[in-house]
Amino acid sequence: MSAENRRRKAEHIRHILDTEGDSVQQNTRVFNEGRYESTGDLDDYERLKDEARAIKEDAIERLPELIDEVTEAVEANGGTVYLADDAADANRYITEVVDGRTAVKSKSMTSEEIEVNEALEADGADVWETDLAEFVLQIADEAPSHIVAPAIHKSREEIAALFDEVFEPEDPPETAEELTRFAREHLGEKIRDADVGMTGANFVTADTGTLALVTSEGNARKCVQATDTHVAVAGVEKVIPSVEDLQPFVELIGRSGTGQDITSYVSLLTPPTDSPTFGDKALGSGDERDFHLVLIDNGRMEMRDDDQLRETLYCIRCSACANSCANFQHVGGHAFGGETYSGGIATGWEAGVHGEESAAEFNDLCTGCSRCVNQCPVKIDIPWINTVVRDRINRGTDSDLDFLVEGLTPDADPGGIDLQKRLFGNFDTLAKLGSAFAPLSNWVAEAGPARSVLERTLGVDSRRELPRFERESLVDWFADRGSRVDPDAARERVTLYPDAYTNYVRTERGKAAVRVLESLGVHVDVPAAGESGRAPLSQGMVATARSNAEAVYESLAPAVAAGRDVVVIEPSDLAMFHREYGRLLPTEEHEALKERSYEVMEYVYGLLENGADLGALPDGDGERIAYHSHCQQRTLDLEPYTTAVLDDAGFDVVTSDVECCGMAGSFGYKSEYYDLSVDVGETLADQFTTDETADRTVVASGTSCLEQLDALLTRRPAHPVRLLDARRDRR
């Protein structure tokens, strides 16, 4: 990316933050908190997610036969099914059906995808969106910024001003109730006069041809019942085997999307419906009703055949991934979205139906924090899809000098990769050099001319403090020091994994971890293991990440084979061992390492629970702590171990309920994303500067969290393991 493109992207993000950020943040957080509350009431939440995923896996596997089955069912009911190859094909067919008549539509992202409104209007038809939010966007001539709540970026005051400008009512509506009533009355007339009703479909059952529509306003029913022609538009992935299969989805979709136990309207229609229309068009029965189900491919069958994008088709469009994403919460889909889709899963959809260029515009806003993984009701590995597409985008930028780049760079990826990504993807090499030449390297890197060059050429924001490398690495320190616990007398023997940041930058937390484990009777080894692959993976450099993973496993394999545990300080690296190594290593190697690897505070908790002497650790003596847990630590459900140990050790702990600090590794260093990173982080900083927290020692588990809090607060934060180190105030 050129410096000019970075500047433009930064300006766009700042504009969205200033104009839409507050509304998006307020609404998405309401949805997010509602989801936690609603899903928390389900005793069988995980079972329902497993069941829903199994149904989608089966449906996508058998999709061609299910399409044949639903075609037979709809035609047996008296309707017509049209299988459209792409958007143009779908629009041609729908335009012929509508034939210039007036159409009213309920909300449908698939119709947004194919831009059917534009096609119909070009053919002379009047088209009206009847969903309140879609209606607002239609008259504002704006694109949706959210797949469930498309006008989430607009405030009540903005909508009131829009209605006043467009309709010039005698008594301008102002309150939410007045605005809703005005829109309902206006659209009621359009629905009564319409000839064609268009809907989407959340699900289509192959056995009966039944459409399941999940809505909040009931307008879909009106569009169907008030017109004599019904056109339903759905992607082929919406087909599931049977009506019985709807149950887990009905339980999950509202809870996952908007935090409702069940949405206001769940409509099951098996068209053509047999109830009469009303008004001047009344037919007396449903016999003369016309129904068309338009099933759209538009790249989906290619996605089905793509092992890496296939999971995207399991998506039920609930928006949980968007609502749970810190970056999306601050900018919404007008920054974190493509031509149609927004949020975490949008990368897969945009790459599949619009092409990788569309996904490239926003893909880097997914930082791989993995918070969306636990929120997805069908357990899609959304971060991996984003990573794979990022890798493909990288590989689509070949140049004539690739052979030279590939020969000079220390990674396993091809040439053509953006230099900024290559820099951050090779952090291990950078850190080794920085450490070898420290402190000179730190002085040079912080000098004004160097920072200016880094910003202009690589987009490393000059406002962000760079890591300061230690001359003596953790591995070198331990090699000189050795273990202080006799292996034959030890309670346990463990290998401490020296992640790149701990090894070369924050060595104090590595030393503290060694001393804490030893104080609890553990014999510790610290091998030279190399970077986990997290750094290149975050840049979409999958080949390099795989190479790193293989090297790390080779260095840890002797300990694993000997039945020793691997203790990890950095949560994002533990997440690599537990999650992403399943994609990068042979199954048996991944499973072996996953089974034996633990986060350091989790391991301390286990030692104490199994008889280690709590008295061997320093007494917290009521020291007041403000603690923030790393995103991936929360995804792995490890936060409770840290708070439990600190509580037991006598510390007075309060925890943040902010789920993301905004730094997200390399993300916060990039000039195009610096402002967004800080905007996300200020929410956390606000929690740690209240009357209750302003004088507390700030503690955080992850590197990115520590870096962000260090930048936003006047107190230098520490890793929690340092609180348990009797020598915490000394190097």
Side-chain angles (χ1 to χ4, degrees):
M1 185 186 298
S2 68
E4 178 61 22
N5 285 340
R6 288 195 178 95
R7 184 190 63 77
R8 278 201 218 99
K9 178 163 280 192
E11 285 183 354
H12 175 62
I13 288 174
R14 281 195 296 270
H15 174 72
I16 295 295
L17 286 170
D18 291 341
T19 58
E20 301 179 4
D22 288 345
S23 293
V24 170
Q25 190 173 159
Q26 180 180 352
N27 289 307
T28 51
R29 287 186 174 174
V30 168
F31 291 159
N32 203 41
E33 290 163 7
R35 185 187 67 255
Y36 286 140
E37 182 177 349
S38 181
T39 57
D41 293 336
L42 286 173
D43 294 332
D44 55 351
Y45 181 42
E46 292 302 320
R47 182 191 64 77
L48 283 169
K49 290 200 290 185
D50 288 336
E51 187 178 346
R53 182 180 174 91
I55 292 168
K56 289 295 289 185
E57 285 181 347
D58 174 60
I60 299 305
E61 178 65 28
R62 298 195 293 122
L63 190 53
E65 68 179 80
L66 292 181
I67 291 172
D68 290 342
E69 186 178 345
V70 76
T71 299
E72 292 179 11
V74 170
E75 290 177 350
N77 294 336
T80 302
V81 174
Y82 185 75
L83 183 60
D85 292 332
D86 53 26
D89 189 22
N91 286 334
R92 179 195 57 75
Y93 180 83
I94 295 168
T95 299
E96 289 178 0
V97 171
V98 174
D99 194 25
R101 294 177 290 170
T102 299
V104 286
K105 294 176 68 239
S106 67
K107 182 179 177 301
S108 165
M109 287 305 295
T110 308
S111 71
E112 292 276 357
E113 175 190 319
I114 65 174
E115 298 182 337
V116 70
N117 289 19
E118 290 82 348
L120 292 172
E121 288 167 351
D123 194 56
D126 284 333
V127 184
W128 290 95
E129 298 286 352
T130 64
D131 174 86
L132 176 58
E134 290 282 4
F135 173 62
V136 167
L137 296 184
Q138 183 179 26
I139 61 176
D141 193 24
E142 292 181 13
S145 66
H146 190 278
I147 62 175
V148 170
I152 201 171
H153 59 290
K154 285 195 170 296
S155 67
R156 175 180 54 80
E157 292 78 11
E158 289 175 311
I159 295 171
L162 177 67
F163 281 10
D164 190 29
E165 177 186 352
V166 173
F167 299 108
E168 300 180 348
E170 292 183 8
D171 187 14
E174 295 180 355
T175 68
E177 183 180 356
E178 290 170 347
L179 291 166
T180 302
R181 184 184 302 113
F182 178 87
R184 184 170 62 238
E185 291 173 356
H186 180 85
L187 291 171
E189 295 178 8
K190 302 298 182 184
I191 291 171
R192 283 191 293 271
D193 294 340
D195 303 298
V196 179
M198 291 187 62
T199 69
N202 294 93
F203 308 97
V204 182
T205 67
D207 58 345
T208 61
T210 299
L211 310 180
L213 297 167
V214 182
T215 65
S216 297
E217 301 172 20
N219 51 306
R221 296 178 182 180
K222 294 178 182 179
C223 290
V224 171
Q225 297 304 118
T227 57
D228 56 22
T229 300
H230 175 195
V231 179
V233 179
V236 291
E237 84 284 357
K238 298 294 186 70
V239 181
I240 61 174
S242 69
V243 172
E244 288 78 9
D245 290 326
L246 290 169
Q247 189 269 333
F249 299 109
V250 172
E251 289 276 11
L252 290 168
I253 192 168
R255 297 176 193 269
S256 300
T258 56
Q260 298 168 276
D261 290 350
I262 192 167
T263 50
S264 302
Y265 299 91
V266 178
S267 304
L268 302 183
L269 308 174
T270 307
T273 55
D274 58 6
S275 59
T277 54
F278 56 84
D280 296 337
K281 304 188 296 297
L283 301 173
S285 74
D287 294 342
E288 299 174 52
R289 270 224 168 94
D290 195 13
F291 172 65
H292 301 261
L293 173 59
V294 183
L295 292 175
I296 298 171
D297 180 349
N298 205 34
R300 287 163 172 80
M301 297 308 281
E302 286 188 24
M303 293 166 69
R304 176 178 175 268
D305 294 335
D306 185 326
D307 289 342
Q308 307 298 339
L309 289 186
R310 185 186 182 103
E311 272 194 86
T312 307
L313 298 175
Y314 303 164
C315 172
I316 62 172
R317 310 271 179 85
C318 69
S319 78
C321 59
N323 297 336
S324 64
C325 172
N327 284 342
F328 188 93
Q329 287 176 359
H330 286 249
V331 295
H334 287 163
F336 198 156
E339 294 182 38
T340 304
Y341 300 102
S342 58
I345 196 64
T347 285
W349 281 118
E350 291 291 322
V353 304
H354 294 308
E356 289 171 5
E357 286 186 7
S358 178
E361 291 298 311
F362 64 92
N363 171 262
D364 284 347
L365 283 166
C366 170
T367 63
C369 74
S370 76
R371 284 169 55 205
C372 57
V373 173
N374 290 356
Q375 315 311 326
C376 177
V378 283
K379 297 188 172 183
I380 300 172
D381 192 348
I382 296 169
W384 181 255
I385 292 172
N386 277 273
T387 300
V388 167
V389 173
R390 194 171 300 167
D391 181 73
R392 293 177 181 181
I393 293 167
N394 288 343
R395 292 169 182 274
T397 53
D398 297 335
S399 72
D400 293 337
L401 298 178
D402 283 355
F403 73 95
L404 180 61
V405 174
E406 291 168 23
L408 294 177
T409 54
D411 56 67
D413 277 83
I417 295 175
D418 181 86
L419 290 179
Q420 182 194 70
K421 292 186 176 183
R422 199 177 285 278
L423 172 77
F424 288 116
N426 284 291
F427 178 75
D428 193 43
T429 299
L430 182 67
K432 286 178 184 176
L433 292 172
S435 178
F437 292 99
L440 178 62
S441 58
N442 297 322
W443 180 82
V444 170
E446 287 295 340
R451 294 309 306 267
S452 179
V453 170
L454 283 172
E455 186 162 65
R456 285 199 318 272
T457 60
L458 298 170
V460 179
D461 200 286
S462 58
R463 292 168 289 182
R464 181 70 73 179
E465 184 178 348
L466 296 177
R468 296 188 63 82
F469 300 109
E470 296 286 348
R471 176 72 176 194
E472 181 184 51
S473 71
L474 176 66
V475 170
D476 290 341
W477 170 82
F478 187 82
D480 290 340
R481 172 188 182 274
S483 176
R484 301 294 170 84
V485 175
D486 183 345
D488 295 328
R491 172 183 293 275
E492 298 285 350
R493 294 186 62 180
V494 305
T495 292
L496 182 71
Y497 169 66
D499 65 89
Y501 223 84
T502 300
N503 195 27
Y504 297 113
V505 182
R506 287 188 176 262
T507 57
E508 75 280 357
R509 69 184 185 188
K511 296 172 185 177
V514 170
R515 289 191 288 261
V516 168
L517 291 170
E518 288 180 341
S519 72
L520 296 174
V522 176
H523 175 84
V524 181
D525 290 313
V526 183
E531 203 275 331
S532 70
R534 172 64 66 191
L537 199 70
S538 69
Q539 310 306 311
M541 297 166 61
V542 175
T544 301
R546 180 171 288 109
S547 176
N548 286 20
E550 291 168 351
V552 167
Y553 183 79
E554 184 178 355
S555 68
L556 299 178
V560 173
R564 300 189 199 122
D565 294 324
V566 176
V567 176
V568 184
I569 296 173
E570 173 56 43
S572 63
D573 289 315
L574 182 68
M576 284 287 290
F577 293 177
H578 282 226
R579 287 176 34 79
E580 283 83 3
Y581 275 19
R583 307 274 190 176
L584 302 173
L585 294 177
T587 300
E588 62 276 11
E589 293 180 359
H590 166 242
E591 291 295 335
L593 183 56
K594 177 181 178 181
E595 183 180 348
R596 301 220 69 93
S597 55
Y598 301 88
E599 193 258 347
V600 62
M601 295 298 284
E602 174 193 15
Y603 201 76
V604 169
Y605 174 89
L607 291 171
L608 296 173
E609 285 291 295
N610 286 281
D613 181 13
L614 179 62
L617 302 177
D619 186 351
D621 196 26
E623 181 178 353
R624 290 157 55 82
I625 303 298
Y627 173 62
H628 175 69
S629 178
H630 187 274
C631 292
Q632 281 153 332
Q633 191 182 31
R634 296 189 190 205
T635 299
L636 297 173
D637 198 25
L638 299 178
E639 179 186 19
Y641 298 113
T642 298
T643 55
V645 170
L646 294 180
D647 284 339
D648 289 345
F651 294 93
D652 178 1
V653 184
V654 297
T655 60
S656 75
D657 59 17
V658 173
E659 294 182 87
C660 183
C661 72
M663 180 70 178
S666 62
F667 183 81
Y669 287 102
K670 297 180 178 180
S671 59
E672 59 268 41
Y673 303 124
Y674 173 84
D675 292 303
L676 175 55
S677 169
V678 170
D679 199 64
V680 174
E682 284 175 346
T683 308
L684 174 59
D686 288 344
Q687 287 204 351
F688 282 177
T689 51
T690 65
D691 291 341
E692 166 64 10
T693 59
D695 64 345
R696 289 177 177 263
T697 301
V698 176
V699 178
S701 295
T703 296
S704 57
C705 314
L706 290 164
E707 297 296 296
Q708 181 78 304
L709 287 166
D710 199 14
L712 297 177
L713 300 175
T714 57
R715 296 159 286 167
R716 183 168 173 80
H719 190 283
V721 77
R722 294 197 67 200
L723 302 184
L724 306 181
D725 179 15
R727 301 179 60 188
R728 62 185 276 199
D729 296 324
R730 292 185 289 167
R731 300 301 296 271

